[in-house]
Amino acid sequence: MNRKPIILIFVALNLALVFWLLLRSDEQEENQVSAVQELVSTPTMEKSSYDLSDRAESLNVILISMDALRYDVTGLDGGKSATRNLQSFANEAVVFHNATSAAPWTLPSHMSVWTARWPSIHQVTNKLKLLASNQMVENTLSPGIQTFPDILIENGFVAGGFTGGAGVQSKYGFGRGFAEYLDDRYFGGFDYSIPAAQTWIDANRSQQFFAFVHGYDVHGQYPLSEGARNALAGKYQTKLSGDIKENATLREQGLSAIQNPGDEADLSGALSDNDALFLKDVYLEKVRAADERVGTFLQYLRQSGLLDRSIVILFSDHGDEFMEHKAVDHGATLYEEQLHIVMMIRFPGFAKRHDIDTPVRTIDVFPTVFDAMQIKGPTGVDGQSLLPLLRGQKQELDVFSETDYRLYRHLRSYRKGDYKLILDLQDGEKELYNLKEDPKEQKDISSAEPRITYEMEQALRNWLDGSRTNPQDYMGVKQNPIDIF
C-alpha cells in the first residue's frame, strides 16, 4: 500500500495547524498590547489634553465677539445653518452647545466675560449708575476689580481692541491698559473693526498679543441695506421697513408697557405674526453677512500662519427676541432666545471638533484659556476652568443669569439640568420651565412642580445672598428708567 499521499496530507494538515496557532498567538498578543496601551495612554492623554503650558509664551489669544447672535440660528445644533464659516470653524474647535450668557445685553454680558464675575458682583449692569435721590453717573468697572486682559497685559501681551463701540466702549473699563482700542463708532460692524484689527495684528505679530475683535453686525442697530430689506418685505404682508430707527422705536414701545413692578415689555397688539417673521428674516440676512465677514478674518488668520499660533475664542454675548415672548430686541427678559449663545474655543494642536452638551457659562471662557496656558488669573472669580469637562470628567456648574436692563426690570434666573427658574425681584413672581420638553419656554410649570420650584428658588436666593443682592431692595420698586442703550 502506498502511504506517501497519506503522509503528505498529514504533514500539510499539521503545517496548517501550526500556522493557524501562530496567527492566533500574534492576534492575541496584538490585542493584549493594544489593551495595555489603551489603559496607559487614555488617562495620560486626558491629563495632558488641552495643556498648552509648554507653548504658552508663544501663543496669542484672540477673542471674537458676534454681538446679539442667537445659538439656534447657527446650525451648530444640526439644524438649518445660516453660518457656513462658523460651521467650518466648529470642525476645529470645542463647541459648547449649552452655553448661557450672564446677562441678555451687551454691556453687563461682556463685562462678565472680561472679569469672570456675575454682573451684580462687577456692578457694570447699566451705562449709568444710580446714586441716591435718583441721581445717575456714568458707570465704569472699579479699579479694584482685576480683569483677565489686565493679567495678559501684565504677562507681556500687547493688547488691541477693535469694536463697534456702544456697550463695549473703553470708558466702561474694557480698554484698560490696551495699546489700541477702537470704539469710535456707535453700533459699528465687522466691516469696520476687522480691517483695523488686521492692520494692527500685522504690525504686532512679532509680539505676543491679545486681540478683541467685535461687531454689531446682527444687532437691531446695525443697518441692513435698503435693497435687501425691500426684497425681504416683498415676501410678507407688512408695513415694517426693518431699519434701525424702526428697531429702536419698537423696542421703546414694548418697554413703555412696563407701568408697574412685574409688568413685561409687550408688543402683542402692535405686531402681527407676519411682522415678526419679517423682522426675523432681516436678522437672518444680517447673520449670513456677519458669518462671511468673520469667515474672511479667520481665513486671514489661517493664511498668515497665526491660526495655529493662537487660541481663538468665538462667542456671542446674547441673542435677540422676535415676539417669542411678546416683544422684540433684548435686555428685558431672561428667556433662552436671549441667553442661549454661541461659544467655541479653538486650541492650536487640538484642532479637532469636540462637542460638549453639558451646561456651561460665558464667565468660564477666560478661566479655561488661562488654565490651558497655566497662567494664574484673578482671584475670587465666579467662573471656572472647563478643562476637567473637556478631559472627560463630570462637571456640574451653577448657571445663573441676571438683568437690571435700564432699570425697567430686575430679573434673575437659575438653571439646573433641564430645569430653569426665572424670578422677578419686583413682584416675587416665579416661572419654571423644563427646557428639554419645552425649549421655547411656552409652558410655565411652577404650579405643577411645587417641590422643584421651591428647591430651585432656595438655591437662587442663596446665590443672591452671595452676589450682594437683597431682593427686598427691589420688591414693589418702580424706578425712572435709563434712556441710553
Side-chain angles (χ1 to χ4, degrees):
M1 180 180 178
N2 187 358
R3 293 188 176 89
K4 189 173 182 180
I6 297 173
I7 293 170
L8 289 172
I9 292 170
F10 180 77
V11 170
L13 287 171
N14 274 276
L15 288 171
L17 179 62
V18 169
F19 183 68
W20 178 78
L21 288 171
L22 286 170
L23 277 177
R24 184 173 173 81
S25 175
D26 286 344
E27 286 178 5
Q28 288 176 336
E29 185 178 349
E30 195 174 295
N31 288 336
Q32 288 171 348
V33 169
S34 177
V36 170
Q37 285 177 338
E38 187 175 344
L39 286 171
V40 171
S41 65
T42 300
T44 304
M45 287 177 66
E46 284 183 354
K47 186 176 180 180
S48 64
S49 185
Y50 303 106
D51 181 358
L52 300 172
S53 56
D54 61 333
R55 289 182 280 159
E57 294 183 358
S58 62
L59 291 177
N60 309 303
V61 178
I62 301 172
L63 180 69
I64 303 171
S65 172
M66 300 183 71
D67 205 288
L69 178 64
R70 292 166 57 139
Y71 169 86
D72 65 359
V73 301
T74 62
L76 292 170
D77 59 355
K80 186 177 179 181
S81 172
T83 58
R84 65 183 183 91
N85 291 291
L86 294 194
Q87 290 281 4
S88 179
F89 181 78
N91 290 332
E92 300 180 350
V94 180
V95 184
F96 298 96
H97 292 281
N98 272 299
T100 297
S101 179
W105 69 290
T106 301
L107 176 58
S109 59
H110 275 92
M111 193 58 75
S112 284
V113 172
W114 233 238
T115 63
R117 298 171 187 263
W118 303 116
S120 50
I121 298 295
H122 63 62
Q123 292 284 298
V124 188
T125 55
N126 280 295
K127 294 181 180 180
L128 298 180
K129 188 173 184 178
L130 181 64
L131 301 178
S133 303
N134 283 330
Q135 292 181 333
M136 294 187 187
V137 296
E138 196 163 70
N139 207 351
T140 191
L141 183 67
S142 167
I145 296 180
Q146 198 172 35
T147 72
F148 283 82
D150 285 341
I151 299 291
L152 290 176
I153 293 167
E154 288 175 10
N155 277 270
F157 284 70
V158 59
F162 307 90
T163 80
V168 288
Q169 287 176 283
S170 177
K171 64 183 180 181
Y172 299 120
F174 292 108
R176 197 163 65 187
F178 277 60
E180 185 170 340
Y181 199 92
L182 181 73
D183 63 354
D184 58 347
R185 287 197 178 183
Y186 211 67
F187 294 109
F190 287 120
D191 54 340
Y192 184 61
S193 61
I194 284 177
Q198 290 180 191
T199 298
W200 182 85
I201 289 171
D202 285 339
N204 289 276
R205 59 179 299 154
S206 62
Q207 305 178 71
Q208 196 173 19
F209 66 81
F210 167 61
F212 173 44
V213 185
H214 164 273
Y216 285 104
D217 303 58
V218 306
H219 197 283
Q221 289 300 295
Y222 183 85
L224 184 64
S225 71
E226 184 178 0
R229 286 188 285 109
N230 289 340
L232 290 173
K235 295 167 55 180
Y236 300 98
Q237 292 183 342
T238 181
K239 295 180 180 180
L240 299 181
S241 67
D243 66 15
I244 61 174
K245 183 177 179 181
E246 179 183 79
N247 169 262
T249 299
L250 288 172
R251 181 190 59 248
E252 298 307 304
Q253 183 180 343
L255 292 170
S256 70
I258 302 173
Q259 295 295 315
N260 299 298
D263 286 350
E264 301 175 314
D266 193 348
L267 284 169
S268 54
L271 294 182
S272 68
D273 291 344
N274 268 336
D275 292 333
L277 289 172
F278 166 65
L279 293 174
K280 181 74 174 290
D281 248 6
V282 170
Y283 175 81
L284 292 175
E285 194 63 32
K286 293 181 183 180
V287 170
R288 293 184 188 94
D291 175 72
E292 291 299 322
R293 293 174 190 130
V294 170
T296 299
F297 180 62
L298 292 171
Q299 188 62 22
Y300 153 77
L301 293 177
R302 189 181 302 278
Q303 291 176 346
S304 64
L306 288 167
L307 193 61
D308 288 322
R309 289 172 43 202
S310 308
I311 298 175
V312 180
I313 307 154
L314 196 156
F315 84 109
S316 57
D317 58 335
H318 59 80
D320 233 344
E321 178 186 0
F322 298 95
M323 296 298 289
E324 290 89 350
H325 291 92
K326 300 182 182 180
V328 297
D329 209 65
H330 51 264
T333 81
L334 294 179
Y335 296 114
E336 289 298 283
E337 59 266 16
Q338 295 190 37
L339 293 182
H340 189 186
I341 50 82
V342 174
M343 189 166 119
M344 298 186 280
I345 307 176
R346 186 188 188 278
F347 295 94
F350 300 91
K352 183 179 179 181
R353 182 164 181 146
H354 186 175
D355 294 288
I356 299 291
D357 292 317
T358 301
V360 299
R361 304 86 54 93
T362 50
I363 61 172
D364 303 319
V365 164
F366 271 122
T368 302
V369 169
F370 271 49
D371 192 10
M373 299 177 77
Q374 288 296 290
I375 299 175
K376 187 176 180 181
T379 59
V381 301
D382 302 302
Q384 296 182 31
S385 169
L386 300 175
L387 288 195
L389 188 62
L390 304 192
R391 291 167 178 165
Q393 301 172 33
K394 188 176 181 180
Q395 192 172 10
E396 283 192 31
L397 300 167
D398 290 324
V399 181
F400 297 103
S401 297
E402 51 184 296
T403 186
D404 297 294
Y405 182 63
R406 293 168 51 195
L407 304 182
Y408 276 102
R409 304 201 74 193
H410 299 281
L411 304 171
R412 303 294 184 265
S413 69
Y414 171 47
R415 177 177 178 178
K416 182 178 181 181
D418 294 328
Y419 289 97
K420 176 180 166 187
L421 182 80
I422 301 174
L423 175 66
D424 190 326
L425 298 182
Q426 290 173 283
D427 66 0
E429 287 295 314
K430 300 173 286 289
E431 300 170 52
L432 180 69
Y433 298 97
N434 184 326
L435 296 180
K436 184 176 182 180
E437 297 177 1
D438 180 23
K440 296 185 183 297
E441 296 165 295
Q442 297 297 309
K443 184 180 179 182
D444 175 12
I445 58 172
S446 57
S447 297
E449 297 286 356
R451 182 182 62 81
I452 296 173
T453 302
Y454 174 79
E455 291 175 352
M456 292 191 69
E457 183 182 359
Q458 296 314 302
L460 179 55
R461 289 188 180 276
N462 288 337
W463 171 73
L464 289 174
D465 288 342
S467 63
R468 307 172 192 171
T469 302
N470 182 359
Q472 294 305 314
D473 292 341
Y474 300 88
M475 184 64 71
V477 173
K478 177 177 171 59
Q479 298 167 307
N480 293 326
I482 297 170
D483 60 5
I484 61 170
F485 55 87

